[in-house]
Amino acid sequence: MIIYGVVNASPDSLALDSIATTPDEAVERAQHLLASGADAIDLGGQGSTDFADVVDRSEEWARVEHLIPALAALGVDVSIDSWRPEVVRRSLEAGATVINAADGMQSDEMWQVASDYDVPIVVPFLSGPNPRAMSMVDADPVQVMIDFFEARLADADRFGLRSRCIVDPGTGFAPPNWLWEQRFEYQKIVYSNLDELRRFGLPLYIALPWKETAQHDELLDIVVRQRPEYGRAHYPEKIRRFQAAAGI
């Protein structure tokens, strides 16, 4: 698994040790992640949790503008996690090498940005236009995801970009006020059926569970044994331990 270690340029991340708001802090955080088992870096300037303030695109860009060149200078891939096409475009111009499309690639504007740069595209499932405007999934979540990705990949085909897409079940995002027990059961169903998402013939990318609870560890073990090609992690060393325990 290729692991993208998380650097959050938004000051309201729940994972406090992932926060870096200056180039020096970002490089220090990234170097720690890489030394701990990460292969690449995922950078975001807009928090996606219920507790994060939604800032305008100029503020989001200001948060990541000077961090991207500093991270790119480390010589590893840097993905930009954003639902705003303008922020993604400017980030790619500044040195980012992967699109982590927090809008689920649901607009032609984002596809146009992707078509202008020869970079991979992480396409997450969303039950709304962005991670801060999602609704509950009441039907079979795996089938809902299959339907979503069929539509997104039809869009990708229009732009000739299917081969660059990476499928993400979007479990790093959640509707507001979702009780953990319900979210746990949802993620358990999704993670236990990741092979269903391989029907598209594309790599899988998972936002890996990171909190220190027995249920999060159970989810992480399920995911690791599914052998996704990519993962997003706050603590790469933990992922590598779980891989070793599973003989991977």
Side-chain angles (χ1 to χ4, degrees):
M1 184 194 313
I2 295 173
I3 294 178
Y4 280 76
V6 179
V7 176
N8 281 314
S10 54
D12 38 23
S13 170
L14 295 180
L16 297 180
D17 51 2
S18 72
I19 297 172
T21 58
T22 69
D24 286 346
E25 290 175 355
V27 168
E28 181 179 5
R29 166 71 176 163
Q31 289 175 330
H32 171 74
L33 290 164
L34 296 169
S36 300
D39 305 288
I41 300 299
D42 181 68
L43 175 67
Q46 169 61 64
S48 62
T49 68
D50 296 354
F51 307 99
D53 292 331
V54 177
V55 299
D56 62 31
R57 62 187 181 184
S58 61
E59 173 63 22
E60 181 186 358
W61 169 243
R63 289 175 174 179
V64 301
E65 178 180 6
H66 301 295
L67 275 59
I68 294 169
L71 293 172
L74 296 174
V76 298
D77 280 326
V78 177
S79 61
I80 180 64
D81 183 338
S82 176
W83 67 70
R84 295 183 170 111
E86 180 180 335
V87 172
V88 172
R89 181 181 293 280
R90 296 179 76 171
S91 297
L92 295 170
E93 291 171 352
T97 56
V98 177
I99 298 172
N100 191 357
D103 73 330
M105 296 301 294
Q106 294 182 83
S107 74
D108 278 5
E109 187 179 0
M110 192 69 93
W111 285 111
Q112 186 58 59
V113 171
S115 71
D116 291 340
Y117 298 86
D118 185 18
V119 298
I121 310 158
V122 178
V123 184
F125 166 77
L126 275 84
S127 58
N130 66 62
R132 296 303 304 278
M134 292 176 59
S135 59
M136 299 296 292
V137 175
D138 296 323
D140 171 11
V142 178
Q143 186 57 54
V144 171
M145 288 180 186
I146 289 169
D147 294 343
F148 176 91
F149 288 121
E150 285 178 345
R152 299 291 72 72
L153 292 173
D155 293 335
D157 287 337
R158 287 193 291 113
F159 285 85
L161 298 177
R162 178 183 284 251
S163 65
R164 288 207 257 128
C165 292
I166 300 168
V167 172
D168 172 1
T171 46
F173 304 132
N177 303 313
W178 195 2
L179 296 176
W180 167 247
E181 288 299 329
Q182 295 174 340
R183 187 174 181 182
F184 169 69
E185 292 300 330
Y186 172 94
Q187 291 190 10
K188 194 170 181 179
I189 291 170
V190 172
Y191 292 154
S192 298
N193 291 277
L194 288 177
D195 278 351
E196 292 294 324
L197 299 181
R198 293 193 177 279
R199 67 181 61 201
F200 303 110
L202 296 170
L204 299 184
Y205 179 109
I206 312 294
L208 298 163
W210 60 272
K211 293 184 178 180
E212 293 292 341
T213 74
Q215 289 180 325
H216 285 84
D217 284 355
E218 180 181 351
L219 293 172
L220 180 56
D221 185 62
I222 293 171
V223 172
V224 165
R225 293 177 185 276
Q226 300 293 313
R227 298 175 183 255
E229 287 79 4
Y230 299 92
R232 179 182 184 271
H234 289 84
Y235 304 107
E237 67 277 9
K238 182 174 183 178
I239 312 307
R240 299 306 187 196
R241 288 200 309 270
F242 272 66
Q243 286 184 303
I248 298 171

